[in-house]
Amino acid sequence: MANERATTAGPPTIDVLLKGLWRENPVFVMLLGMCPVLAVTNTAINSLAMGLATTFVLVMSSTIISMVRRWIPKQVRIASFILIIATFVTVVEYVIQAISLDIHKALGAFISLIVVNCTILGRAEAYASKNSVGKSMLDALGTGLGFTIACLCLGVVRELLGSGSIAGLPVFGARYEPMTIMILPGGAFFVLGGWLLLFNWLRERKKVRSA
């Protein structure tokens, strides 16, 4: 009880929200949830849809888990978390299907695979199950936004180089020769590697300046 009171003590702060955007970014720092990041980020629209869907599931599941954490037996903790997450994934899938069948078809099975996204389950186990509702919501929102930004970073670059457009709008004109590999699975690894290099360089530069 003493440890639980210690983790839940104090009001939620903006730092809880911001750490998921930068210091503990789920993609560029933690390297979590890489399967959908590499698979569906061939366009900006698909990237945004996956990011928002994951953010919604992350925020709602973390909120509910934080609210009921004291009543969940330790023996069925993980199973209970997965059940809560799966409930909101089902809601998201029906909403996407109702809004756009094209996006639903493009995301395919990766919507359902949000259930086993280690980012969501990890935040539920490491944070939401040990902290207050306010802190859990901010932590989930920051992590979700960090995931969404990372998806967009890949999606915008891949669509721009691979199709010469952003969100379906032409950018380079008819003379541009698209780099087709960028919208293929292999291109995702090249773009991710470039963003990881940039992200790590910025972090090291910040450390040097702080020192």
Side-chain angles (χ1 to χ4, degrees):
M1 289 296 293
N3 291 335
E4 184 176 352
R5 288 174 182 173
T7 55
T8 57
T13 62
I14 193 66
D15 185 65
V16 177
L17 173 68
L18 295 179
K19 69 178 181 179
L21 297 175
W22 180 256
R23 293 197 316 271
E24 297 181 11
N25 186 282
V27 175
F28 295 142
V29 177
M30 310 299 288
L31 297 178
L32 298 175
M34 302 307 295
C35 185
V37 171
L38 295 172
V40 303
T41 57
N42 55 344
T43 68
I45 296 297
N46 291 348
S47 303
L48 181 61
M50 177 55 70
L52 293 179
T54 303
T55 300
F56 173 80
V57 174
L58 188 55
V59 172
M60 296 304 298
S61 60
S62 292
T63 302
I64 299 299
I65 289 169
S66 178
M67 291 173 63
V68 302
R69 67 186 188 279
R70 293 185 177 89
W71 294 283
I72 299 177
K74 292 183 179 180
Q75 296 83 351
V76 294
R77 185 179 69 255
I78 300 300
S80 300
F81 294 169
I82 293 175
L83 180 61
I84 293 171
I85 293 168
T87 301
F88 291 108
V89 170
T90 303
V91 173
V92 163
E93 183 166 12
Y94 282 123
V95 169
I96 294 176
Q97 191 173 8
I99 293 174
S100 174
L101 288 175
D102 291 335
I103 294 178
H104 184 270
K105 183 178 180 181
L107 299 183
F110 292 99
I111 301 176
S112 300
L113 288 176
I114 294 176
V115 174
V116 292
N117 190 317
C118 47
T119 302
I120 299 175
L121 190 58
R123 297 322 296 167
E125 170 66 14
Y127 202 92
S129 63
K130 300 180 179 67
N131 288 273
S132 64
V133 174
K135 283 186 174 182
S136 298
M137 288 181 65
L138 284 179
D139 174 77
L141 181 60
T143 302
L145 291 177
F147 182 83
T148 302
I149 290 171
C151 287
L152 280 173
C153 286
L154 269 73
V156 169
V157 172
R158 291 180 66 191
E159 183 180 3
L160 185 63
L161 298 179
S163 303
S165 62
I166 296 179
L169 301 176
V171 175
F172 294 138
R175 294 186 177 182
Y176 176 71
E177 291 291 337
M179 300 172 62
T180 308
I181 189 175
M182 288 301 172
I183 58 175
L184 298 176
F189 288 95
F190 289 113
V191 177
L192 176 63
W195 278 113
L196 288 176
L197 285 173
L198 176 61
F199 203 87
N200 288 328
W201 177 76
L202 291 173
R203 291 180 65 200
E204 292 299 322
R205 185 182 180 186
K206 186 178 179 180
K207 288 181 182 179
V208 172
R209 287 186 173 182
S210 299

